[in-house]
Amino acid sequence: MTRQTSGRAALRWAVSSAGPAVVLLDQTALPHAEVELACADVPALVAAIQRLVVRGAPLLGIAGAYGVALAAARGDDVVAAAGLLAAARPTAVNLASGVEIALDAWRSNGGDPAAPLAAARALEAADAAASAAMAEHGRDLVVGLVPGKARILTHCNTGALVSGGTGTALAVVLALHTADRLDRLWVDETRPLLQGARLTAWEAGRAGVPHAVLADGAAGSLFARGRVDAVLVGADRIAADGSVANKVGTYPLAVLARHHGVPFVVVAPTSTIDPATADGDAIVVEERDGAEVTSYAGAAVAPADTPAYNPAFDVTPPDLVTALVTEVGVIRPLSSESVRSVLPRTARSGATMDS
Ligand code: MRU
């Protein structure tokens, strides 16, 4: 079960007299309420994924794997359910790969429903271990890059809410805080759905991390005033050439960081690297309902019928990334060769990894 700092799990498998269910902490209700949503079948889980009840790349992979286990436990058409789950959101590679891992387990065990459940549990445990390793590698990297206490800027939400463990970029921030090497966390609000203001500020507050939320457009003034020492973000898919898809608004931060000579660090498990996606142009970026931009909390903030541009992610080219922190070490610079170096042995050559 993916444990949240409050004690409620971001995701858990439950079996009751009503049958099995994937139970989610409803992230759309945070920070106002901690409510759970029980998904008793795959269509309910797919709808929850699309509404961002459950979100963030690693947790989407775990949710997809548990979704396959749910279909198998119910005696549903597992292959069809896997197809629905994998297609629920296109950008985070972990979703499709988590589904595939559980589906492979089901197939290779003669359709035994226990197999995808065990695979989902193993994936969750592996992600927790990856979180812990990334936290250590990332902490050591930042300590080496920034003398004294660091002022870190982050975007979107990358903590325990998105992971089987403590997360990706936020796990590094927590490790810096524990080591007394964090001055302050700057939290981009992350328009339009406010994952920064609603979720990262919630997690930071619970962990006692000194933090402040800013409007996304205010980041430039922070850099101009010399008040950012490093940017730490997560990723939804890293292409074979090192291009990084992450929450829309990440790329402008990378450009600002380069202009101001500030390190821009991506923290992501190797499960987020997709060697089958050649480069940034090949990454499918989810386009979401324009109403997310033209309204706020259900109230219109633009004239009725105003068209909107609402990509959920953007793509940062590898040359703007100072380093990629993975569970197996830090790679820099980011390139096709260095990305290959952290992938399974078959693809390795010219490793530039330090761990
Ligand atoms: O649309 P979301 O909220 O699922 O987007 C999440 C992000 O962009 C995160 O930064 C990303 O998944 C990395 S979190 C480990």
Side-chain angles (χ1 to χ4, degrees):
M1 117 178 16
T2 60
R3 183 55 62 193
Q4 234 310 297
T5 45
S6 65
R8 275 200 198 253
L11 181 155
R12 64 188 173 87
W13 176 258
V15 180
S16 70
S17 54
V22 178
V23 180
L24 307 169
L25 176 61
D26 183 349
Q27 298 193 28
T28 68
L30 291 172
H32 306 297
E34 288 179 49
V35 291
E36 288 186 327
L37 177 74
C39 300
D41 59 25
V42 165
L45 181 57
V46 167
I49 289 170
Q50 291 172 337
R51 281 202 305 118
L52 311 196
V53 170
V54 58
R55 45 155 293 284
L59 190 62
L60 284 174
I62 294 164
Y66 276 107
V68 172
L70 181 61
R74 287 171 49 89
D76 291 343
D77 181 337
V78 174
V79 175
L84 286 176
L85 286 160
R89 294 187 75 193
T91 306
V93 67
N94 297 69
L95 176 57
S97 61
V99 167
E100 197 178 317
I101 287 166
L103 184 61
D104 282 352
W106 179 76
R107 279 191 172 127
S108 56
N109 286 279
D112 179 356
L117 183 57
R121 288 188 165 131
L123 188 65
E124 187 177 358
D127 189 60
S131 280
M134 287 187 288
E136 288 189 12
H137 293 313
R139 177 201 60 210
D140 294 349
L141 174 74
V142 173
V143 163
L145 289 170
V146 180
K149 292 191 179 188
R151 297 160 299 176
I152 303 291
L153 173 63
T154 195
H155 192 71
C156 199
N157 171 257
T158 61
L161 285 170
V162 300
S163 168
T166 51
T168 60
L170 198 60
V172 174
V173 170
L174 293 175
L176 287 166
H177 177 57
T178 302
D180 200 25
R181 291 298 296 262
L182 181 76
D183 177 77
R184 172 190 295 255
L185 178 65
W186 296 112
V187 181
D188 256 8
E189 64 173 352
T190 315
R191 278 282 291 156
L193 296 178
L194 303 176
Q195 287 94 331
R198 294 188 302 105
L199 307 176
T200 301
W202 184 75
E203 291 193 298
R206 281 166 184 261
V209 169
H211 65 284
V213 175
L214 56 138
D216 298 341
S221 74
L222 269 186
F223 282 100
R225 292 176 179 180
R227 298 180 69 186
V228 182
D229 298 310
V231 180
L232 293 184
V233 294
D236 283 83
R237 184 182 300 242
I238 299 172
D241 73 339
S243 296
V244 176
N246 191 49
K247 178 53 57 193
V248 68
T250 299
Y251 169 59
L253 293 182
V255 175
L256 277 168
R258 173 58 53 90
H259 182 74
H260 291 279
V262 168
F264 179 88
V265 176
V266 176
V267 185
T270 51
S271 58
T272 299
I273 299 173
D274 178 20
T277 298
D279 55 26
D281 288 343
I283 296 175
V284 177
V285 172
E286 177 183 4
E287 298 273 345
R288 292 184 62 86
D289 189 347
E292 291 178 349
V293 175
T294 57
S295 62
Y296 172 73
V301 293
D305 302 325
T306 301
Y309 170 60
N310 189 19
F313 304 96
D314 59 25
V315 178
T316 299
D319 58 296
L320 293 181
V321 179
T322 308
L324 168 65
V325 176
T326 74
E327 75 278 19
V328 295
V330 175
I331 62 174
R332 54 182 169 170
L334 204 47
S335 65
S336 307
E337 294 70 36
S338 63
V339 164
R340 257 203 311 275
S341 76
V342 291
L343 289 175
R345 217 167 289 155
T346 45
R348 274 192 195 191
S349 75
T352 54
M353 181 183 74
D354 47 87
S355 58

